[in-house]
Amino acid sequence: LLESALAFVFIYFALVYFEVAPLYAAVAAAIGMSTSPAVVMLVAQELRAEGQVTERALSLVAINSVTAFVAVTMLLSWIHHEYQAGLVTIALHPAYILAGSLILGYAACMATLLLSRWLGKSAQSHFVLLLALVVLTVGAARMLELSVLLALLAFGVMVRNLDSRHDLMAVDTGRVGQMFFIVLFVVSGAKMQIGDLAAAGGLALVFILARFAGKSIGVLSLTYFSGARAGSAGLLCLALTPMSVLALAMVQGTANIYPEFGARLSAIVLSAVLILEIAGPVAVQFALKKAGEAAEETTA
């Protein structure tokens, strides 16, 4: 939590110092708290990495995602106020998105557990079940104008923690999962434009450096108390570098409500994402290999 909070504080004050309006700086800072789960998970899977840095990186990625989603949702009230929306919209719209997304995630979780119990211990059936419930949750979130990502995140967290009877089997997505990762990166890459980097390259570097400083100070300051082995904290900081799809989705979420606000926010955030989408996977790979947690390659 300290790591997420310091990332927000450092990004916010750095952007405000360079004359970015406070509301834009706050939303950009909230988005900057997030770390790309897709990048960290994919690199860890490719390297078959296991160990302290890998486990802590994945845990922090999850916490970063939760705090970023909640912060951006709460800031919707200030965005509504900026555009002179009614008091009901200012007060209730963020609450509706947050509570509705959590309720939808809970409903999907309960449906998954009940159906997996009914289907019995079949990995193939459970894999199809999860895909079906994910698609259904996405459709319901869009229909109800909720947060797709927050609903899916709640779905995953609740399934993991409420399955006390272990009805749902561990599902190996294998090549199908890798295909989804590929599609994810292609789609996110297609949204990037080099012109964004040229237009806001300076702010992008400010954003990236402030984000890295905040996250690193948060991690390093608690290393002694967390029981991390010597030298692992710096590598963990590198493993938290990636930003990609989550940031794009959160920018798009604000743009869907207020296109003008989303366009100006994009100029700040997407140029940074463009850099980190390239540098992030390299940083994660270096960190996991340097930590000695990557599986040794075998030759045929």
mmCIF file of all heavy atoms in Angstrom, residues 9 25 30 33 66 77 80 88 95 102 109 123 130 140 175 213 224 227 235 259 273 278 287:
data_model
loop_
_atom_site.group_PDB
_atom_site.id
_atom_site.type_symbol
_atom_site.label_atom_id
_atom_site.label_comp_id
_atom_site.label_asym_id
_atom_site.label_seq_id
_atom_site.Cartn_x
_atom_site.Cartn_y
_atom_site.Cartn_z
ATOM 1 N N VAL A 9 1.738 9.892 -5.060
ATOM 2 C CA VAL A 9 2.217 11.192 -4.565
ATOM 3 C C VAL A 9 3.329 11.740 -5.450
ATOM 4 O O VAL A 9 3.317 12.918 -5.838
ATOM 5 C CB VAL A 9 2.700 11.059 -3.102
ATOM 6 C CG1 VAL A 9 3.420 12.325 -2.656
ATOM 7 C CG2 VAL A 9 1.525 10.777 -2.184
ATOM 8 N N ALA A 25 -3.434 15.660 -13.235
ATOM 9 C CA ALA A 25 -2.299 15.053 -12.550
ATOM 10 C C ALA A 25 -2.750 13.964 -11.590
ATOM 11 O O ALA A 25 -2.112 12.912 -11.482
ATOM 12 C CB ALA A 25 -1.513 16.126 -11.792
ATOM 13 N N ALA A 30 -3.179 8.262 -10.349
ATOM 14 C CA ALA A 30 -3.942 7.070 -9.963
ATOM 15 C C ALA A 30 -3.713 5.937 -10.951
ATOM 16 O O ALA A 30 -3.532 4.777 -10.566
ATOM 17 C CB ALA A 30 -5.425 7.409 -9.876
ATOM 18 N N MET A 33 -0.300 4.202 -10.559
ATOM 19 C CA MET A 33 -0.115 3.228 -9.488
ATOM 20 C C MET A 33 -0.147 1.801 -10.018
ATOM 21 O O MET A 33 0.429 0.892 -9.422
ATOM 22 C CB MET A 33 -1.201 3.398 -8.418
ATOM 23 C CG MET A 33 -1.069 4.651 -7.590
ATOM 24 S SD MET A 33 -2.142 4.623 -6.130
ATOM 25 C CE MET A 33 -3.765 4.667 -6.889
ATOM 26 N N VAL A 66 -5.776 -3.169 -7.778
ATOM 27 C CA VAL A 66 -6.938 -2.837 -6.940
ATOM 28 C C VAL A 66 -6.921 -1.360 -6.561
ATOM 29 O O VAL A 66 -7.925 -0.650 -6.710
ATOM 30 C CB VAL A 66 -6.949 -3.718 -5.668
ATOM 31 C CG1 VAL A 66 -8.035 -3.247 -4.704
ATOM 32 C CG2 VAL A 66 -7.175 -5.176 -6.037
ATOM 33 N N SER A 77 -15.810 11.471 -9.324
ATOM 34 C CA SER A 77 -16.609 12.539 -8.703
ATOM 35 C C SER A 77 -16.031 13.910 -9.037
ATOM 36 O O SER A 77 -16.765 14.854 -9.378
ATOM 37 C CB SER A 77 -16.662 12.357 -7.185
ATOM 38 O OG SER A 77 -17.394 11.218 -6.836
ATOM 39 N N HIS A 80 -16.630 14.710 -12.723
ATOM 40 C CA HIS A 80 -18.011 15.167 -12.906
ATOM 41 C C HIS A 80 -18.166 16.616 -12.431
ATOM 42 O O HIS A 80 -18.833 17.437 -13.073
ATOM 43 C CB HIS A 80 -18.980 14.268 -12.119
ATOM 44 C CG HIS A 80 -19.192 12.914 -12.728
ATOM 45 N ND1 HIS A 80 -19.465 12.729 -14.067
ATOM 46 C CD2 HIS A 80 -19.201 11.676 -12.170
ATOM 47 C CE1 HIS A 80 -19.623 11.439 -14.309
ATOM 48 N NE2 HIS A 80 -19.465 10.785 -13.185
ATOM 49 N N VAL A 88 -26.347 14.590 -7.936
ATOM 50 C CA VAL A 88 -26.653 13.153 -7.878
ATOM 51 C C VAL A 88 -25.601 12.365 -8.644
ATOM 52 O O VAL A 88 -25.102 11.333 -8.182
ATOM 53 C CB VAL A 88 -28.060 12.878 -8.447
ATOM 54 C CG1 VAL A 88 -28.312 11.377 -8.529
ATOM 55 C CG2 VAL A 88 -29.120 13.546 -7.586
ATOM 56 N N ALA A 95 -20.030 5.601 -6.904
ATOM 57 C CA ALA A 95 -20.480 4.555 -5.978
ATOM 58 C C ALA A 95 -21.168 3.424 -6.732
ATOM 59 O O ALA A 95 -20.991 2.241 -6.409
ATOM 60 C CB ALA A 95 -21.426 5.153 -4.938
ATOM 61 N N LEU A 102 -18.352 -4.729 -8.028
ATOM 62 C CA LEU A 102 -18.055 -5.727 -7.000
ATOM 63 C C LEU A 102 -19.185 -6.743 -6.880
ATOM 64 O O LEU A 102 -18.929 -7.953 -6.736
ATOM 65 C CB LEU A 102 -17.819 -5.032 -5.651
ATOM 66 C CG LEU A 102 -16.572 -4.149 -5.552
ATOM 67 C CD1 LEU A 102 -16.506 -3.466 -4.187
ATOM 68 C CD2 LEU A 102 -15.305 -4.966 -5.781
ATOM 69 N N CYS A 109 -18.651 -15.084 -9.315
ATOM 70 C CA CYS A 109 -17.935 -16.017 -8.452
ATOM 71 C C CYS A 109 -18.858 -17.110 -7.931
ATOM 72 O O CYS A 109 -18.530 -18.300 -7.996
ATOM 73 C CB CYS A 109 -17.300 -15.249 -7.293
ATOM 74 S SG CYS A 109 -16.716 -16.285 -5.930
ATOM 75 N N ALA A 123 -11.126 -30.888 -15.341
ATOM 76 C CA ALA A 123 -10.351 -29.706 -15.693
ATOM 77 C C ALA A 123 -10.845 -29.068 -16.981
ATOM 78 O O ALA A 123 -10.933 -27.845 -17.093
ATOM 79 C CB ALA A 123 -8.870 -30.078 -15.817
ATOM 80 N N LEU A 130 -15.016 -21.340 -16.925
ATOM 81 C CA LEU A 130 -14.388 -20.055 -16.628
ATOM 82 C C LEU A 130 -14.442 -19.114 -17.823
ATOM 83 O O LEU A 130 -14.746 -17.925 -17.674
ATOM 84 C CB LEU A 130 -12.935 -20.272 -16.194
ATOM 85 C CG LEU A 130 -12.719 -20.719 -14.753
ATOM 86 C CD1 LEU A 130 -11.246 -20.996 -14.504
ATOM 87 C CD2 LEU A 130 -13.227 -19.665 -13.781
ATOM 88 N N ALA A 140 -22.203 -8.391 -19.224
ATOM 89 C CA ALA A 140 -23.072 -7.786 -18.212
ATOM 90 C C ALA A 140 -22.529 -6.429 -17.759
ATOM 91 O O ALA A 140 -23.294 -5.470 -17.570
ATOM 92 C CB ALA A 140 -23.213 -8.726 -17.017
ATOM 93 N N ARG A 175 -1.587 -22.889 -24.298
ATOM 94 C CA ARG A 175 -1.431 -22.110 -25.525
ATOM 95 C C ARG A 175 -2.592 -21.158 -25.754
ATOM 96 O O ARG A 175 -2.422 -20.116 -26.375
ATOM 97 C CB ARG A 175 -1.281 -23.047 -26.721
ATOM 98 C CG ARG A 175 0.019 -23.842 -26.693
ATOM 99 C CD ARG A 175 0.200 -24.643 -27.955
ATOM 100 N NE ARG A 175 1.484 -25.343 -27.954
ATOM 101 C CZ ARG A 175 1.913 -26.101 -28.954
ATOM 102 N NH1 ARG A 175 1.152 -26.269 -30.031
ATOM 103 N NH2 ARG A 175 3.088 -26.701 -28.882
ATOM 104 N N ALA A 213 10.484 6.195 -8.900
ATOM 105 C CA ALA A 213 11.010 6.661 -7.607
ATOM 106 C C ALA A 213 10.032 6.341 -6.481
ATOM 107 O O ALA A 213 10.430 5.848 -5.415
ATOM 108 C CB ALA A 213 11.277 8.159 -7.669
ATOM 109 N N TYR A 224 13.638 -4.300 5.086
ATOM 110 C CA TYR A 224 14.135 -4.903 6.321
ATOM 111 C C TYR A 224 13.021 -5.623 7.080
ATOM 112 O O TYR A 224 13.225 -6.691 7.663
ATOM 113 C CB TYR A 224 14.755 -3.817 7.205
ATOM 114 C CG TYR A 224 15.220 -4.324 8.555
ATOM 115 C CD1 TYR A 224 16.433 -4.992 8.681
ATOM 116 C CD2 TYR A 224 14.441 -4.124 9.698
ATOM 117 C CE1 TYR A 224 16.858 -5.471 9.918
ATOM 118 C CE2 TYR A 224 14.856 -4.597 10.935
ATOM 119 C CZ TYR A 224 16.056 -5.265 11.046
ATOM 120 O OH TYR A 224 16.465 -5.737 12.266
ATOM 121 N N GLY A 227 11.349 -9.231 5.387
ATOM 122 C CA GLY A 227 12.060 -10.501 5.334
ATOM 123 C C GLY A 227 12.625 -10.835 3.972
ATOM 124 O O GLY A 227 12.974 -11.980 3.704
ATOM 125 N N LEU A 235 15.689 -5.577 -7.372
ATOM 126 C CA LEU A 235 15.163 -6.338 -8.514
ATOM 127 C C LEU A 235 13.643 -6.319 -8.525
ATOM 128 O O LEU A 235 13.015 -6.282 -9.589
ATOM 129 C CB LEU A 235 15.684 -7.783 -8.456
ATOM 130 C CG LEU A 235 17.210 -7.928 -8.556
ATOM 131 C CD1 LEU A 235 17.616 -9.375 -8.344
ATOM 132 C CD2 LEU A 235 17.705 -7.427 -9.918
ATOM 133 N N PRO A 259 -15.016 12.831 -23.432
ATOM 134 C CA PRO A 259 -13.989 12.678 -24.478
ATOM 135 C C PRO A 259 -12.881 13.730 -24.402
ATOM 136 O O PRO A 259 -11.716 13.407 -24.624
ATOM 137 C CB PRO A 259 -14.796 12.798 -25.775
ATOM 138 C CG PRO A 259 -16.177 12.359 -25.401
ATOM 139 C CD PRO A 259 -16.380 12.836 -23.998
ATOM 140 N N VAL A 273 3.149 5.083 -21.368
ATOM 141 C CA VAL A 273 2.837 3.671 -21.585
ATOM 142 C C VAL A 273 3.578 3.135 -22.804
ATOM 143 O O VAL A 273 4.062 2.001 -22.808
ATOM 144 C CB VAL A 273 1.311 3.476 -21.750
ATOM 145 C CG1 VAL A 273 0.988 2.046 -22.171
ATOM 146 C CG2 VAL A 273 0.597 3.822 -20.461
ATOM 147 N N ILE A 278 7.546 -1.145 -24.001
ATOM 148 C CA ILE A 278 8.758 -1.698 -24.624
ATOM 149 C C ILE A 278 9.797 -2.043 -23.558
ATOM 150 O O ILE A 278 10.380 -3.131 -23.554
ATOM 151 C CB ILE A 278 9.345 -0.698 -25.635
ATOM 152 C CG1 ILE A 278 8.340 -0.447 -26.765
ATOM 153 C CG2 ILE A 278 10.662 -1.210 -26.202
ATOM 154 C CD1 ILE A 278 8.720 0.681 -27.678
ATOM 155 N N ALA A 287 15.161 -8.686 -14.153
ATOM 156 C CA ALA A 287 15.023 -8.816 -12.703
ATOM 157 C C ALA A 287 14.890 -10.280 -12.288
ATOM 158 O O ALA A 287 15.547 -10.734 -11.343
ATOM 159 C CB ALA A 287 13.816 -8.024 -12.221
#
